[in-house]
Structure formats: structure tokens, C-alpha cells
Amino acid sequence: MTKIFLKVLQLICVVLVLLSFTILTATPTEAASLSGDLLKQPPTEITVSLGNSANELKYEPNHLEFLAGKRYKLKLINPSNQKHYFTAKDFADGIWTQKVEAGKVEVKGAIHEVELKPGAEAEWVFVPIKPGKYGLRCPIAGHTEAGMTGDIVIQ
């Protein structure tokens, strides 16, 4: 009886290892499907202002925190009279982007930065995957130096 128990226990361990490997190596879409169809869950909405109506060069808020495996909608707005970028390449590499939507256009696939012209708005729907702390900045000459920076944390 002990030998049968050990064989069953071995089989259970093998199945668990294979299941874990399947989840860890799944594409973001497959992983979402495996986790109870995450894409059908409503996203948590967070609004970030790129600059403000007083033309101050800053993100409001300039610190963002996300939980890995949760779906988010990042609403980006630019109330200033100049264009700005939301640039966070390492953060973008650590998430799965479902879409970026602006006006009547939806962009899918890997996104590394979003440019917002004066008065523009965009929505970035994504699922964070890779925990870490990432830098955010506007790479337009003088904007980063003037303080248009921030940080993003994925827990």
C-alpha cells in the first residue's frame, strides 16, 4: 500500500510541475485565459495628467502602483498647450498591453511610449506581469530636466 501511495504522490507532483510550467510559459493571452478569463473583468481605472493647464512640466500623479496579474485602464490626459510623452520602456516591457485607444483608433501590440498632443486623451489597457520599479519621463528636450519624471511600481 505504501508503494501505491508513493506512486500516486509522485504522479500528483509531476502533474503540478507540468501545470506550473504551462502557466509560467503561457503567452499573456493564454495566461489570462488560465486565470479565469481576466480580460472579461472590468479594469481598475487610473487617470494621469501629462502637464497641466498652467503648463507645469510634471505628471499628476508622478507615482503609480499596480498589482501584477490585475487589469488596468490608464487614462492619459494632456491639458497643457504643448505635447508630452508618457515614456516608460522598461515598464512597458513588464506588462501585457491589450490596447491603447485614442479617438476612434485602437492600437494593439507592444507599446513603449505614448505621445499626447495638446488637449489629447488616450486609454492604455494592460495587465502588469513583471514586478519591479520603473522610471517614467517625458523625453522632449528640457521636460525631464524640468521635473517631468515619475516612477511606476508593479508589485
Side-chain angles (χ1 to χ4, degrees):
M1 173 129 158
T2 305
K3 286 185 179 182
I4 293 173
F5 176 75
L6 289 175
K7 288 289 184 184
V8 169
L9 188 58
Q10 246 181 343
L11 183 59
I12 290 171
C13 287
V14 168
V15 168
L16 288 175
V17 167
L18 289 175
L19 182 59
S20 297
F21 181 74
T22 300
I23 291 171
L24 291 173
T25 61
T27 66
T29 303
E30 292 167 337
S33 177
L34 289 171
S35 64
D37 209 358
L38 177 65
L39 298 180
K40 290 185 181 177
Q41 296 175 11
T44 298
E45 192 171 298
I46 297 171
T47 300
V48 177
S49 178
L50 284 68
N52 57 30
S53 57
N55 286 316
E56 294 176 302
L57 300 175
K58 62 183 180 178
Y59 294 103
E60 295 177 347
N62 67 352
H63 176 79
L64 302 167
E65 290 192 22
F66 303 104
L67 294 174
K70 190 172 177 184
R71 190 168 172 239
Y72 291 91
K73 179 192 291 183
L74 191 61
K75 289 185 71 174
L76 302 172
I77 59 171
N78 181 1
S80 75
N81 65 5
Q82 54 188 315
K83 74 177 179 180
H84 296 294
Y85 288 85
F86 186 94
T87 302
K89 183 188 178 319
D90 293 336
F91 164 73
D93 289 340
I95 65 173
W96 173 74
T97 296
Q98 180 183 353
K99 66 179 179 176
V100 172
E101 191 169 343
K104 295 182 180 182
V105 175
E106 233 181 65
V107 179
K108 299 180 188 263
I111 307 291
H112 289 108
E113 70 181 0
V114 177
E115 175 187 329
L116 272 76
K117 297 189 182 337
E121 295 185 12
E123 294 180 350
W124 190 344
V125 181
F126 62 89
V127 177
I129 298 169
K130 184 180 174 190
K133 185 174 180 179
Y134 306 98
L136 168 65
R137 67 186 189 93
C138 180
I140 295 174
H143 288 207
T144 299
E145 298 77 11
M148 197 160 190
T149 63
D151 64 318
I152 303 170
V153 175
I154 298 176
Q155 299 179 5

